[in-house]
Amino acid sequence: MTAKKKPEELRSFGWFGPDTLRGFSHRSRMLQLGFQREDFIGKPVIAIINTWSEINPCHAHLRERAEAVKRGVWQAGGFPVEVPTITITETYMKPSPMMYRNMLAMDTEEALRSLPIDAAVLMGGCDKTTPALLMGAISANIPAIYLPAGPMLRGNWDGKILGSGTDVWKFWADRCAGVVSDEEWKGVEIGIARSPGFCMTMGTASTMTALTEAFGMTLPGASSIPAADSNHVRLAMDSGRRAVEMAWEDLKPSDIFTPAAFRNAITVDMAIGGSTNAIIHLVALARRCGLDLPLTRFDEISPNVPVLANIRPSGEYLMEDFYYAGGLRALMAEIRDLLDLNCITVNGKTIGQNLEGAVVLNRDVIRERSKPLMETGGTVILFGSLAPDGAVIKSVAADRRLWTHTGPAVVFKDFEDMEARVNNDDLEVDENSVLVLQNAGPLGAPGMPEWGLLPIPKKILKRGIRDMVRISDSRMSGTAYGTCVLHVAPESYAGGPLAFVRDGDLITLDIPNRKLDLLVPEAEMAKRRAAWVQPVEKDPRGYLALYREHVSQANQGCDFDFLQAVTTSAEKI
Ligand code: FES
């Protein structure tokens, strides 16, 4: 450790050190808590940002982990303070947890900024929590280390391995088709989530924690450790110890989130077949750093990166298997030639140094470069007359048969309309139709919920069909699979072309050529545009009003305009 700071240079010393009336007040209130002066004056104060809540099963163990972090902080000569923030629980928050990502980011940033804190351990994992905590830490720019909550153990029912989300969609489709009994469905319900931790498929949670490690914001190997493993407790303690050293070293997010680190994160995202949601979050993170990250950059990187992680929903295994196979370090070592190995990480070493000695222990879980799951990156960016500002599809999770497809649109004007009609016997739909959902974007829904996995109509399911082309301006769970075009921008609520699609219009999806086109003549589109009336929002108030006023479109990261960096760097990602 290279100590850069003297005790009186610590940020917290500004609160606790001075012989002033305010200094007296700050010290006396710490004494009120039962601490000695020597516990906290001139010692790095480490905030443990805790997103624990009883309503968040993915973070159920974070209260105990906070104690392990504290143990590490005390051992290293720091002073730990646990700072609770709001929790974002993917399962329960309506209309969409995505709406609250920016709120947690603000909560984190302001907690770090306003309190006498020298460094932070950020604890989270459930989908939006990771980008939110990172966004807040970037903006506060105080030394911070991420402690991923860890994936839950494999699901198990009747001897079958179950994966979060992925197997829910699969069994639900079978249940709708009448081939799964009520009893079997209940068995899946009991067995699919059987330990603390986040979804153990390569959904958004596992993707974002992996990318956080790829950025260099976790200790090496941290993102792959299951929540229930005792190595996770030791990880918590080590993260606390390291946070104290980072405070002395003044190793800040601005040292870590460089353009090269973003390229590494995008490369790893492609190699793990990461969630489509990662694209929105990476753009938002870049903008917090004052860096431009156009969607086209993903498509420039992805052709050079094979998908190596054989994890559901794209592959076969789960995160627990990934851990036993060597975890993210082993995967990153496989693509070491595609990474910038000089990027600095939270342990003060470079990515290259952290990958030394990493080996793959199971070649079916982490594939060789010569036997990838897919030759090129798992996520594709589409542009065209239906998505002038871009759209996203997880090609690795889409049926190859539909990669190039033209079909007539079946349009639902919003989620309620879809729920009401999708299973009607008189709905004019067949397996060649393209299901379109409007008004499900950042503003339209609002909050861009994960409605992008539009249900296949029951009458089609009963014919044994399990995939169709589906298009929306919403998102899709990273645990889901199917030919679902997502994040269409501009969204329909904002007057994007998606708003003007009508039943029977022909739509072309062309994944190999990155195209998404609405085959309607421009003269007809002009007529529809002129006749279009934006849906009216009923009296938004409170956080929703703030959200509506300031949220950006999907291709811009859905951050609030006033939270992005004020100055933009000329450096390119
Ligand atoms: Fe928390 Fe899936 S519900 S990660």
Side-chain angles (χ1 to χ4, degrees):
M1 177 183 78
T2 337
K4 281 194 196 160
K5 287 195 171 182
K6 299 190 182 84
E8 59 275 17
E9 290 169 345
L10 288 170
R11 190 168 174 266
S12 61
F13 197 83
W15 273 260
F16 298 126
D19 185 14
T20 59
L21 187 59
R22 286 214 182 277
F24 165 87
S25 166
H26 298 147
R27 285 187 299 273
S28 71
R29 291 305 177 142
M30 275 296 159
L31 297 170
Q32 179 187 13
L33 289 168
F35 294 108
Q36 305 280 16
R37 288 168 64 100
E38 53 271 31
D39 286 340
F40 59 90
I41 302 175
K43 299 274 177 68
V45 176
I46 308 300
I48 301 165
I49 300 290
N50 199 347
T51 51
W52 173 89
S53 161
E54 276 180 346
I55 195 72
N56 192 337
C58 300
H59 297 178
H61 55 310
L62 292 189
R63 234 181 185 179
E64 292 159 33
R65 291 299 179 275
E67 294 307 315
V69 175
K70 284 178 198 169
R71 190 153 38 106
V73 172
W74 284 119
Q75 284 174 359
F79 179 72
V81 287
E82 195 173 342
V83 179
T85 57
I86 61 157
T87 200
I88 303 182
T89 170
E90 196 62 28
T91 312
Y92 295 113
M93 285 180 114
K94 310 289 180 211
S96 160
M98 181 64 183
M99 217 168 88
Y100 299 99
R101 182 200 64 182
N102 299 346
M103 182 187 259
L104 175 57
M106 288 171 78
D107 192 353
T108 305
E109 177 181 347
E110 297 309 324
L112 295 179
R113 196 198 312 285
S114 64
L115 295 169
I117 285 165
D118 298 301
V121 177
L122 312 168
M123 294 204 305
C126 187
D127 285 27
K128 315 300 172 288
T129 308
T130 301
L133 293 174
L134 295 180
M135 287 158 77
I138 287 170
S139 296
N141 205 25
I142 285 171
I145 184 169
Y146 197 81
L147 172 59
M152 63 179 104
L153 298 176
R154 285 187 286 250
N156 190 303
W157 161 69
D158 211 17
K160 294 183 184 64
I161 302 291
L162 300 175
S164 318
T166 307
D167 284 298
V168 179
W169 322 123
K170 178 176 160 293
F171 278 97
W172 179 247
D174 288 346
R175 190 173 189 234
C176 291
V179 295
V180 164
S181 70
D182 286 353
E183 216 41 50
E184 289 168 324
W185 180 241
K186 268 190 207 150
V188 174
E189 187 174 295
I190 291 168
I192 201 156
R194 59 188 190 90
S195 84
F198 51 71
C199 293
M200 71 327 231
T201 37
M202 191 54 82
T204 306
S206 296
T207 301
M208 288 311 299
T209 47
L211 302 195
T212 304
E213 181 172 339
F215 271 121
M217 281 296 288
T218 73
L219 290 177
S223 66
S224 312
I225 304 175
D229 195 304
S230 37
N231 280 309
H232 196 269
V233 184
R234 283 186 282 276
L235 170 70
M237 197 179 68
D238 290 345
S239 300
R241 295 176 72 92
R242 182 58 198 154
V244 176
E245 294 172 357
M246 288 173 72
W248 290 123
E249 293 168 12
D250 204 23
L251 180 56
K252 297 196 290 286
S254 55
D255 300 313
I256 291 171
F257 284 94
T258 60
F262 273 94
R263 287 193 291 276
N264 283 348
I266 296 169
T267 303
V268 168
D269 184 30
M270 297 301 156
I272 60 177
S275 159
T276 44
N277 288 320
I279 293 183
I280 296 180
H281 300 317
L282 285 169
V283 171
L285 288 164
R287 289 179 163 228
R288 288 287 178 124
C289 300
L291 295 167
D292 187 28
L293 178 49
L295 292 183
T296 46
R297 197 70 190 100
F298 291 89
D299 251 1
E300 285 162 9
I301 292 175
S302 88
N304 306 317
V305 189
V307 181
L308 299 183
N310 186 9
I311 311 289
R312 297 180 205 184
S314 315
E316 197 183 329
Y317 295 95
L318 295 171
M319 289 305 290
E320 191 180 338
D321 307 297
F322 188 64
Y323 177 53
Y324 302 145
L328 192 74
R329 281 180 69 238
L331 180 133
M332 286 175 71
E334 263 324 271
I335 53 166
R336 137 197 311 269
D337 57 307
L338 303 176
L339 300 172
D340 188 325
L341 301 176
N342 295 317
C343 290
I344 197 76
T345 74
V346 285
N347 69 350
K349 297 184 178 161
T350 63
I351 290 276
Q353 288 171 317
N354 288 341
L355 294 183
E356 276 167 23
V359 283
V360 176
L361 301 170
N362 183 329
R363 279 294 177 192
D364 199 26
V365 178
I366 301 175
R367 295 287 184 85
E368 284 164 69
R369 292 281 282 275
S370 56
K371 290 185 195 150
L373 204 65
M374 213 169 91
E375 301 283 341
T376 60
T379 314
V380 164
I381 307 297
L382 306 164
F383 287 96
S385 57
L386 191 51
D389 291 341
V392 171
I393 187 164
K394 189 168 184 172
S395 51
V396 71
D399 190 334
R400 286 255 176 185
R401 178 181 59 87
L402 296 169
W403 275 31
T404 308
H405 179 84
T406 298
V410 175
V411 183
F412 302 103
K413 70 177 170 33
D414 54 31
F415 185 75
E416 289 71 29
D417 180 37
M418 181 184 73
E419 284 222 300
R421 294 194 298 121
V422 71
N423 289 320
N424 284 359
D425 286 337
D426 60 358
L427 184 73
E428 285 198 28
V429 65
D430 64 29
E431 59 265 45
N432 294 315
S433 304
V434 174
L435 303 181
V436 173
L437 174 63
Q438 298 168 327
N439 293 308
L443 289 164
M448 212 181 174
E450 291 182 339
W451 294 338
L453 182 71
L454 275 68
I456 309 273
K458 273 187 186 165
K459 65 180 178 185
I460 309 275
L461 284 176
K462 283 182 180 154
R463 300 218 308 264
I465 308 290
R466 291 290 184 273
D467 199 5
M468 292 173 71
V469 176
R470 290 159 270 180
I471 300 174
S472 73
D473 44 16
S474 66
R475 297 176 303 113
M476 176 173 89
S477 166
T479 63
Y481 54 91
T483 312
C484 300
V485 178
L486 311 158
H487 313 180
V488 170
E491 64 174 301
S492 53
Y493 184 92
L498 190 69
F500 314 125
V501 185
R502 293 186 185 166
D503 282 340
D505 288 348
L506 287 179
I507 293 176
T508 292
L509 167 67
D510 184 351
I511 292 179
N513 290 305
R514 287 20 188 180
K515 295 290 287 175
L516 183 68
D517 285 314
L518 176 61
L519 308 183
V520 173
E522 184 42 45
E524 171 62 19
M525 284 297 280
K527 261 197 250 165
R528 293 184 192 181
R529 242 189 311 269
W532 179 71
V533 181
Q534 189 176 44
V536 181
E537 181 56 30
K538 290 179 245 111
D539 309 324
R541 58 165 297 283
Y543 179 70
L544 181 57
L546 179 82
Y547 173 91
R548 281 196 167 283
E549 182 81 21
H550 295 285
V551 75
S552 62
Q553 289 289 288
N555 60 310
Q556 299 162 333
C558 295
D559 201 0
F560 292 159
D561 47 12
F562 61 86
L563 293 175
Q564 296 173 17
V566 178
T567 49
T568 306
S569 165
E571 271 193 274
K572 292 272 173 263
I573 288 177

